[in-house]
Amino acid sequence: MKFKAMTAIAALALSVPMLAYAEADDDKLVTNEEIEMVTKAPAPAHLEGALDEVMSGWHFRADETQEMQRDDFDNPGMIFVETALDEWNKVDGSEGKACASCHEDLESDMKGVRAGYPKWNDNAEEVRTLAMQVNACREGQMGAEKWKYAGKEMAAMEALISVQSRGMPVDVAIDGPAEATWEHGKELYYTRTGQLDLSCASCHEENYGNRIRSDHLSQGQINGFPVYRLKNAKLTTAHGRFKGCVRDTRAETYKPGSEEFIALELYVASRGNGLSVEAPSVRN
Amino acid sequence: MASGVKPRVKVPKTAAAGEAITIKTLISHKMESGQRKDKEGNVIPRSIINRFTCEFNGESVVDVTLEPAISTNPYFEFDATVPEAGEFKFTWYDDDGSVYDTSKKVAIG
């Protein structure tokens, strides 16, 4: 009898830290002792019935990984931001322009930009992601060649632009002309794909906080994208991650930059309305 | 010269005399091990940072030998005592003979 009680206590003692590890924690994220990040926020109205609270993926990571995002020096994603800064000032293309030729003050001109993308572009009559806008500038204004949609130059440039909005709440518009795209994205989010028959929601809405093999499922928020991943030591864009997720359901994936992923990006971004822009974040 | 190499260091601007301060350094470098093969099966030549040193006013603080198993963008964090005002000099040595360096001044205050 006594032995059984001891075993029960031992089992309890073991299981408590495991539980605490598996669930989202209550840590606070302040970057550079200056930027206070909102990493938990009340869910936006359109998520009523699905989620009450939205949480940054930061909460689901181990303390050591979380720590890397508290200081820019410890954040390996900032290496890529520095490379992109060189690119920002570099003249490219037939027009003899750099990004900096039009956007003279990077900090003030790009402040808040990342928080509102993807968004409707009136002239082009399409929903544009940040990457599409960068390529539109490169082709239209600079006369330069487009970058690969989810390639390393683009990921770094997205990170540089995102840094100017860090700490600002994600606020993408889902009504008006963007609504049809948003609805399409929502449909994709809840559509099961692949041999494993999983939708985005199967993992990131119904099972966040639970384990998937040795890892923890987050809510799949993209407020921290592009993200520096420890597993491959480089930046990953939202579309790169979408592709990885869909592939993991054992399906043929859509392509980065495809209509489907643009719609999905708008929808997923809108699920994080209210969370701070964290990019470049650090994840495993 | 390997592409995209950029040293970064973080040193406090001031320290008390005799105080031990924490120094962080990072250099962006691909650190190709020399063990991998490309698509055609040819060995990708080794290209790593093989030595890192830190000096304070000409006196050696650390001198590190790096081996191929060290991953991309090597990061070092160490403590150093600051006896007087001066300058930390950091140097990285590349396999291809390139040398990258940077320095930081520390004041006593």
Side-chain angles (χ1 to χ4, degrees):
Chain A
M1 211 42 206
K2 199 179 173 190
F3 176 74
K4 271 192 180 163
M6 290 284 284
T7 318
I9 290 166
L12 194 68
L14 275 174
S15 66
V16 167
M18 290 291 286
L19 265 176
Y21 187 56
E23 284 167 3
D25 61 20
D26 281 324
D27 294 351
K28 293 266 177 298
L29 175 57
V30 179
T31 299
N32 299 336
E33 297 176 355
E34 178 180 305
I35 311 167
E36 289 188 24
M37 302 282 190
V38 177
T39 51
K40 287 188 182 182
H46 68 82
L47 283 179
E48 204 187 318
L51 294 175
D52 296 329
E53 188 181 41
V54 289
M55 279 179 269
S56 161
W58 183 81
H59 282 291
F60 297 89
R61 301 279 65 95
D63 288 347
E64 297 84 345
T65 312
Q66 290 185 334
E67 190 60 32
M68 299 175 93
Q69 239 183 282
R70 289 208 169 93
D71 186 301
D72 279 351
F73 196 88
D74 295 333
N75 183 340
M78 296 308 286
I79 296 171
F80 300 89
V81 170
E82 281 177 20
T83 3
L85 188 59
D86 296 341
E87 203 65 49
W88 181 266
N89 293 310
K90 197 170 86 184
V91 172
D92 194 8
S94 58
E95 304 300 308
K97 283 185 190 169
C99 304
S101 311
C102 296
H103 310 287
E104 284 172 19
D105 186 349
L106 168 67
E107 276 183 39
S108 62
D109 289 354
M110 291 298 122
K111 194 177 170 66
V113 169
R114 163 68 171 81
Y117 270 90
K119 72 173 179 191
W120 179 259
N121 182 299
D122 271 335
N123 293 331
E125 295 192 342
E126 63 183 7
V127 170
R128 268 191 187 168
T129 61
L130 196 52
M132 289 163 78
Q133 186 56 51
V134 169
N135 268 341
C137 276
R138 285 185 61 80
E139 269 194 318
Q141 306 292 330
M142 295 164 66
E145 273 189 37
K146 275 194 199 179
W147 275 331
K148 199 175 159 211
Y149 192 89
K152 64 176 181 186
E153 290 89 356
M154 186 61 87
M157 186 55 73
E158 281 183 51
L160 174 70
I161 295 169
S162 302
V163 163
Q164 319 309 326
S165 303
R166 278 195 301 182
M168 296 174 74
V170 174
D171 184 18
V172 297
I174 61 172
D175 50 3
E179 197 179 341
T181 307
W182 183 81
E183 290 287 355
H184 182 205
K186 184 175 180 182
E187 191 190 321
L188 287 165
Y189 191 88
Y190 287 101
T191 303
R192 289 170 180 269
T193 60
Q195 290 178 320
L196 298 186
D197 204 27
L198 295 168
S199 70
C200 307
S202 311
C203 290
H204 298 293
E205 184 173 292
E206 293 159 27
N207 279 297
Y208 65 87
N210 290 336
R211 281 174 180 271
I212 183 162
R213 297 177 66 179
S214 65
D215 203 357
H216 292 118
L217 287 166
S218 71
Q219 285 185 346
Q221 299 290 355
I222 55 170
N223 58 311
F225 277 79
V227 47
Y228 180 86
R229 297 197 68 190
L230 298 169
K231 78 165 201 173
N232 57 6
K234 56 186 179 192
L235 290 177
T236 300
T237 62
H239 286 212
R241 180 66 264 200
F242 290 163
K243 186 179 155 193
C245 269
V246 177
R247 182 204 57 211
D248 290 348
T249 71
R250 299 189 188 165
E252 280 286 333
T253 77
Y254 303 110
K255 286 194 169 54
S258 64
E259 197 189 318
E260 288 82 4
F261 276 171
I262 292 161
L264 188 61
E265 182 179 341
L266 174 63
Y267 177 69
V268 176
S270 79
R271 289 175 71 97
N273 271 354
L275 294 174
S276 293
V277 172
E278 266 177 49
S281 60
V282 184
R283 306 283 188 261
N284 47 335
Chain B
M1 184 173 140
S3 63
V5 180
K6 201 166 188 175
R8 305 163 82 202
V9 293
K10 190 176 184 182
V11 180
K13 286 195 177 65
T14 58
E19 185 192 349
I21 57 167
T22 300
I23 294 172
K24 297 174 177 181
T25 75
L26 187 153
I27 188 160
S28 50
H29 195 281
K30 61 185 175 178
M31 297 293 278
E32 185 61 57
S33 70
Q35 305 283 338
R36 303 196 306 157
K37 287 176 179 168
D38 64 14
K39 281 184 187 132
E40 282 78 45
N42 306 312
V43 171
I44 305 171
R46 179 181 126 158
S47 169
I48 68 167
I49 298 279
N50 56 47
R51 184 179 172 212
F52 164 69
T53 63
C54 170
E55 288 176 0
F56 182 70
N57 291 347
E59 193 186 341
S60 175
V61 178
V62 287
D63 191 335
V64 185
T65 304
L66 285 82
E67 301 290 349
I70 294 174
S71 61
T72 183
N73 306 334
Y75 172 97
F76 288 106
E77 183 175 330
F78 52 93
D79 288 353
T81 310
V82 184
E84 65 210 13
E87 191 174 59
F88 280 101
K89 188 177 180 222
F90 306 90
T91 316
W92 292 262
Y93 299 85
D94 198 309
D95 269 352
D96 63 12
S98 311
V99 176
Y100 318 101
D101 58 36
T102 185
S103 45
K104 287 276 171 179
K105 284 197 170 71
V106 182
I108 297 296

